[in-house]
Amino acid sequence: MADADRMDTPEQAEFRAYCRQWLSANHPGQPPVRIPLGALELSDPKAMAWLQAWQKSAYAAGLVGCDYSTAVGGGGHTNCQTIANQEMQSARTPFLPNIIGLGMAAPTLYIHAQEEVKRALLPGLLSGAEIWCQGFSEPGAGSDLANQQTFAEKRGDSWVINGHKVWTSLAHFADWMILLCRTDKTDKYNGLSYFVVPIQPAVGKGVTVRPLIKLTGETGFNEVIFDDLVIEDKYRLDAVGAGWKVAMTTLAHERGAGLLVTPAAGGMIQENSKSANTSSPAALINLAKSSSRNGKTAADDPLIRDEMVKIAIRQEAFRQNQRRTLVPALTDHPMRIPLQNKLIGTEFNQDLAAITYDIQGPASSLYLNDENAAGGGEWQLAYMNSFGVTIAAGANEVQRNILGERVLGLPKSK
Amino acid sequence: MQEQPKNFGFGEDETMLRDSARKFFSDHCSADKIHRQVASNPNIHRNIECLWDKGLWQQITDLGWTAACVPESAGGIGMPLVAAVALAEEAGRAAFPSPLIATFNTTFVLRECASATADSLLADIATGTPMTLAITNKAGSWEPEDTDVSVTAGKLNGSAWFVQDAGKAEGLLVSARAAAGIGLYYVNSNAAGVTIKADGIIDLTRDQAHINLSHVDAIEVAAPGTGAAAIRHALPAIQAIVAADMVGAGEWLLQTTVEYAKVRVQFDRPLGFFQAVKHPLVNVMIEIDKAKSLAYNAACAIDSDPQRLDFANTEKLAHMAKACASEMAVFSSSRAVQFHGGIGFTWECYVHLFFKRQMHNQALYGDARYHRTKLADLLIGKAA
Ligand SMILES: Cc1cc2nc3c(=O)[nH]c(=O)nc-3n(C[C@H](O)[C@H](O)[C@H](O)COP(=O)(O)OP(=O)(O)OC[C@H]3O[C@@H](n4cnc5c(N)ncnc54)[C@H](O)[C@@H]3O)c2cc1C
């Protein structure tokens, strides 16, 4: 937004100027291979390596992890990650590949890990040298996350882990996992503990990673099986039995309602593909201007116009919600808007992409493997892929429970 | 886009004013009291009456509400539009029967007129004279060029429709057509030749009328050819104010329904336990928050661009605010009635006061579809 840099603190203003200058000289340019819509769909090692190199250079320049202390490899700034994110977005950079590490593992480590572990792990996480994944979901523990069956048994100074995780995004690239599991079978919530697990060295020796194919045809998530994996006790975060509390820190950040702002970049336009920016109302309008529906320009159809305008209103409202969150006089309950972000953001993307089917008429049948598909078929991909995020990170129905219970104070439905 | 403060221009003064309004309404305008005041007679064929507490009007005048957005040069406090938006939100939350919103709307049109007469009328508003706009024709057009009133040789003739709180206002700002185009004229409600015919309306918390003008002396406020622009330039502010009224009423409906859903037990559980109740209430909250953010954003954009360097942008943001608020108004009121069950369908339950105010406001100055149609032209370009 044009007004983003107004009322920056002096530290933010200086940092913004620095980010702009650095980005103007150091944009990584065009990728050598197709980059998917988001990090959760990464499967090509070449794409991953290229994105890791980008994250590494952005980290080295101080644009990633700005608000973390210097002792753990951060930038030691205050409220500057937002600035870096805005500038990276404006500069249309690639996204940062270590999304689970940055968005979930880093804040959880920062808040709950021992100093030694933080110092050892955060630099490699922030630089993207070490990729992280999240081992929360299991076949029997999805929305009901506390129903964990994976078990960690204390043997001497170590823990022995057995169990089965599913939908583990990026596990096929991951060096580390944040793991929620059970240490006491008698107490559902207080019987959980939280670990960070070095999975890469253990693949084939106690850890098996198998890819799962998404309905889009892409890969990106996996199942992970633990078979007597032994890890050191120092990798436990917080107390034995405090896993649920630690997991809440992770989930708050995953849902955009945590204390630390997640480093995030994006906006890159891939020139050699016909790909579209599938989350932008402006791109939607352009698509409608170049598509025909029932033989006429879709952008002239009054019903299509109304749907596109509704989407544009939702985008502006989302943006203004973020602005209002920072004005206490205009927000009666501090968590009321932050807890809506995941829900509103993911449904916005889904509904935006859905309209493109109506806009394209029968051409909406074409996919990535068809040369005539508008936007390289990525609108259709975006629609199908959008269900990943309305389901993941707590299905949106569960988000509505959380909002109803925590913000409105309605009775818990569990 | 013009410079905009991150806090929507909602600073300490605006917060103090808003908080004092909140206290005022909680002290003087409980839903119970308003209900006794305006809803004592459910008879559909009752006489049309203008029911309000004139004493409270004197009090809010003393608190400076009507002066808030009158420029200092005209004897007012010179606060930004966000102040009026905040007061409108509180007035909506209390379903306050008063000419406050009509007077604000008139204030913002007068501010666009730049005439000595306009300034003296603004000074009257600052000291508490309630006024309203008579700028809508019988066909219900919101276009500033459309009026059923004409002006010739200093006399007004014709009729104005859907005039808000006409029974409470002491002065009318009338749009009329002359050879040179639309002008704006002041008419005292008691002037000779003015007939105010009250409409039988659903909303109990305000009154509305159509007004016949027959050889009424025209006091010029904006010369022929300049009146339509004055209205056009004030419309975004008016839309933001009415949107804010709906935001406040929406919040009352939400909180009241949530409280009911916590205490009413069926199937051995409070209603709010059931997701078929819980989730729509969350959706109502989400829609209120969107509408509120958009209303303050529109107001701030208007405040930030006094020279109208990017008027298309302020128009766009105000259309968004009113479109979003109008849809929310229908949704919040329908869910409130539905989730109160049988009691919600009665006259005795206060929900209907807010339900009716929401349905009135959603149409006023354009419903959601009207504003989205305008937006489509601004965002996409005109259709072929
Ligand atoms: C693309 C993608 C990536 C993922 N990545 C990871 C990852 O990296 N690590 C990880 O641990 N997990 C990951 N997940 C798993 C994700 O967190 C779970 O899928 C999610 O929590 C839902 O659990 P479930 O799939 O078992 O669905 P279930 O819990 O079986 O729920 C199915 C559906 O029922 C409804 N529902 C469930 N509970 C309720 C309720 N209480 N009230 C109302 N409706 C309800 C919802 O509509 C829900 O979608 C990922 C999922 C996806 C789709």
Side-chain angles (χ1 to χ4, degrees):
Chain A
M1 263 190 91
D3 66 345
D5 48 348
R6 311 232 162 79
M7 293 178 66
D8 281 350
T9 64
E11 182 185 1
Q12 287 175 321
E14 191 185 319
F15 188 68
R16 186 187 296 282
Y18 163 74
C19 291
R20 271 187 201 171
Q21 179 234 322
W22 185 82
L23 284 161
S24 69
N26 295 283
H27 190 289
Q30 286 295 313
V33 288
R34 177 181 178 272
I35 304 293
L37 294 179
L40 294 188
E41 287 75 47
L42 277 167
S43 56
D44 177 356
K46 287 201 200 89
M48 179 51 116
W50 186 77
L51 289 166
Q52 276 179 291
W54 148 241
Q55 180 168 335
K56 187 174 169 203
S57 74
Y59 169 71
L63 273 59
V64 176
C66 326
D67 298 339
Y68 285 81
S69 68
T70 50
V72 302
H77 288 288
T78 305
N79 296 332
C80 279
Q81 190 61 57
T82 309
I83 307 293
N85 291 357
Q86 286 165 354
E87 295 304 322
M88 288 192 281
Q89 189 77 39
S90 309
R92 299 193 169 283
T93 64
F95 57 75
L96 302 170
N98 202 12
I99 182 172
I100 307 236
L102 294 169
M104 291 175 249
T108 310
L109 283 163
Y110 200 54
I111 295 169
H112 298 281
Q114 301 172 26
E115 196 59 31
E116 178 209 334
V117 173
K118 283 191 230 183
R119 286 176 194 238
L121 298 186
L122 280 168
L125 185 163
L126 295 171
S127 74
E130 294 183 324
I131 299 295
W132 285 68
C133 69
Q134 175 196 26
F136 277 28
S137 303
E138 298 182 2
S143 302
D144 186 7
L145 181 61
N147 191 35
Q148 294 285 319
Q149 302 304 318
T150 295
F151 196 77
E153 190 192 337
K154 190 85 192 277
R155 272 193 217 151
D157 282 344
S158 305
W159 294 89
V160 181
I161 300 170
N162 280 286
H164 184 182
K165 294 288 169 182
V166 282
W167 323 128
T168 321
S169 299
L170 294 177
H172 51 301
F173 288 120
D175 299 285
W176 292 88
M177 173 190 274
I178 42 175
L179 173 75
L180 182 63
C181 64
R182 184 156 297 289
T183 43
D184 176 353
K185 292 182 182 167
T186 62
D187 188 327
K188 183 169 177 184
Y189 288 90
N190 296 313
L192 300 175
S193 298
Y194 196 120
F195 299 88
V196 295
V197 182
I199 61 165
Q200 220 293 317
V203 170
K205 292 170 270 174
V207 172
T208 308
V209 178
R210 283 196 214 109
L212 299 168
I213 300 171
K214 303 182 180 187
L215 72 80
T216 56
E218 294 180 308
T219 54
F221 57 23
N222 307 271
E223 57 184 339
V224 178
I225 289 142
F226 293 105
D227 191 4
D228 283 336
L229 174 71
V230 180
I231 59 163
E232 295 173 59
D233 186 52
K234 70 176 179 188
Y235 290 137
R236 173 170 47 80
L237 302 196
D238 216 304
V240 176
W244 187 248
K245 180 183 84 182
V246 183
M248 288 305 111
T249 300
T250 310
L251 293 188
H253 286 86
E254 179 171 21
R255 293 161 189 175
L259 285 173
L260 287 143
V261 173
T262 295
M268 178 179 67
I269 294 168
Q270 290 180 61
E271 284 161 8
N272 49 5
S273 82
K274 289 181 278 179
S275 74
N277 179 357
T278 52
S279 57
S280 143
L284 182 72
I285 290 171
N286 285 336
L287 176 71
K289 287 182 171 171
S290 60
S291 299
S292 61
R293 171 184 152 80
N294 300 333
K296 295 195 195 97
T297 305
D300 290 340
D301 182 315
L303 298 179
I304 296 289
R305 290 165 73 81
D306 201 40
E307 291 305 319
M308 294 196 297
V309 167
K310 283 184 193 164
I311 280 290
I313 295 174
R314 283 165 67 176
Q315 183 195 42
E316 188 65 35
F318 188 79
R319 229 169 6 206
Q320 298 306 329
N321 270 351
Q322 304 317 306
R323 180 177 173 199
R324 188 158 63 82
T325 313
L326 304 174
V327 188
L330 293 178
T331 46
D332 293 339
H333 185 301
M335 290 316 283
R336 183 162 152 166
I337 292 174
L339 287 174
Q340 294 176 26
N341 286 343
K342 187 265 178 182
L343 177 63
I344 306 190
T346 57
E347 291 184 356
F348 169 82
N349 281 322
Q350 190 159 88
D351 293 347
L352 186 156
I355 300 169
T356 69
Y357 278 69
D358 289 353
I359 287 174
Q360 297 175 76
S364 65
S365 57
L366 307 176
Y367 200 30
L368 298 181
N369 54 350
D370 191 287
E371 58 182 88
N372 293 316
E378 302 228 2
W379 290 105
Q380 284 78 295
L381 173 65
Y383 177 63
M384 291 190 276
N385 206 42
S386 71
F387 290 88
V389 278
T390 53
I391 295 168
N396 285 4
E397 291 70 24
V398 172
Q399 302 296 331
R400 286 191 164 80
N401 287 346
I402 292 171
L403 281 158
E405 290 156 22
R406 286 210 219 138
V407 178
L408 296 178
L410 292 168
K412 274 194 181 290
S413 43
K414 280 270 174 193
Chain B
M1 210 184 288
Q2 304 307 303
E3 294 239 348
Q4 280 198 33
K6 282 188 175 171
N7 68 349
F8 301 91
F10 200 79
E12 274 176 39
D13 291 348
E14 290 75 19
T15 307
M16 269 172 57
L17 181 72
R18 193 270 319 269
D19 291 349
S20 77
R22 229 171 238 191
K23 178 163 186 333
F24 175 87
F25 286 122
S26 82
D27 289 349
H28 300 289
C29 297
S30 65
D32 172 61
K33 196 168 155 199
I34 303 283
H35 201 267
R36 273 184 277 128
Q37 188 179 93
V38 302
S40 57
N41 183 2
N43 186 342
I44 294 170
H45 303 293
R46 66 187 176 273
N47 287 333
I48 300 169
E49 279 183 287
C50 178
L51 300 165
W52 65 305
D53 183 345
K54 201 148 187 221
L56 289 183
W57 180 258
Q58 187 56 51
Q59 287 190 40
I60 66 176
T61 300
D62 295 343
L63 287 170
W65 295 7
T66 60
C69 293
V70 169
E72 282 173 290
S73 59
I77 304 174
M79 291 179 90
L81 170 60
V82 281
V85 159
L87 290 174
E89 186 186 343
E90 297 309 315
R93 196 195 304 264
F96 183 42
S98 86
L100 183 66
I101 306 294
T103 303
F104 280 151
N105 293 345
T106 312
T107 301
F108 282 91
V109 177
L110 287 170
R111 277 172 51 158
E112 299 296 332
C113 292
S115 68
T117 318
D119 284 352
S120 89
L121 292 171
L122 283 166
D124 291 345
I125 286 179
T127 56
T129 306
M131 294 190 196
T132 191
L133 296 170
I135 59 171
T136 310
N137 65 5
K138 190 173 185 183
S141 165
W142 306 113
E143 297 302 325
E145 288 78 12
D146 292 338
T147 171
D148 293 342
V149 181
S150 64
V151 58
T152 30
K155 299 287 183 191
L156 295 166
N157 281 291
S159 59
W161 292 76
F162 311 108
V163 180
Q164 300 305 303
D165 293 300
K168 307 181 188 89
E170 290 168 24
L172 311 166
L173 189 62
V174 181
S175 67
R177 178 172 308 284
I182 301 290
L184 290 173
Y185 302 89
Y186 182 70
V187 170
N188 191 297
S189 306
N190 298 319
V194 177
T195 318
I196 299 182
K197 277 277 295 161
D199 299 337
I201 62 169
I202 299 165
D203 183 359
L204 299 160
T205 64
R206 80 185 80 203
D207 74 279
Q208 179 182 289
H210 54 283
I211 296 177
N212 290 321
L213 302 163
S214 172
H215 294 289
V216 176
D217 283 334
I219 302 165
E220 186 180 288
V221 182
T226 67
I231 297 172
R232 185 171 301 288
H233 292 151
L235 277 176
I238 293 172
Q239 289 152 6
I241 288 168
V242 179
D245 189 306
M246 291 188 276
V247 168
E251 190 69 27
W252 186 92
L253 287 160
L254 172 66
Q255 297 303 340
T256 304
T257 311
V258 163
E259 285 316 307
Y260 188 68
K262 286 181 196 169
V263 297
R264 168 73 175 166
V265 173
Q266 286 292 281
F267 304 101
D268 308 320
R269 307 266 197 191
L271 296 177
F273 167 86
F274 300 104
Q275 292 179 346
V277 174
K278 182 182 285 177
H279 289 191
L281 286 174
V282 167
N283 292 344
V284 168
M285 169 172 77
I286 289 170
E287 294 308 312
I288 292 170
D289 278 321
K290 282 161 56 186
K292 178 164 177 169
S293 297
L294 288 172
Y296 281 86
N297 176 47
C300 178
I302 295 162
D303 286 328
S304 307
D305 188 14
Q307 307 298 319
R308 285 191 298 274
L309 300 175
D310 192 356
F311 185 59
N313 184 55
T314 40
E315 277 188 305
K316 187 182 90 181
L317 298 178
H319 287 311
M320 287 186 172
K322 183 65 171 65
C324 184
S326 287
E327 270 204 339
M328 175 279 287
V330 178
F331 184 47
S332 58
S333 52
S334 94
R335 293 308 82 196
V337 171
Q338 180 70 23
F339 294 147
H340 275 78
I343 186 76
F345 192 55
T346 65
W347 187 272
E348 180 192 341
C349 175
Y350 306 146
V351 166
H352 75 110
L353 292 177
F354 292 81
F355 174 96
K356 292 166 182 175
R357 189 175 174 106
Q358 292 292 64
M359 295 310 287
H360 189 99
N361 274 332
Q362 66 90 21
L364 198 59
Y365 297 106
D367 58 23
R369 285 199 179 79
Y370 167 85
H371 288 286
R372 290 204 303 264
T373 307
K374 293 265 174 189
L375 267 173
D377 289 349
L378 288 168
L379 296 175
I380 308 166
K382 293 239 186 255

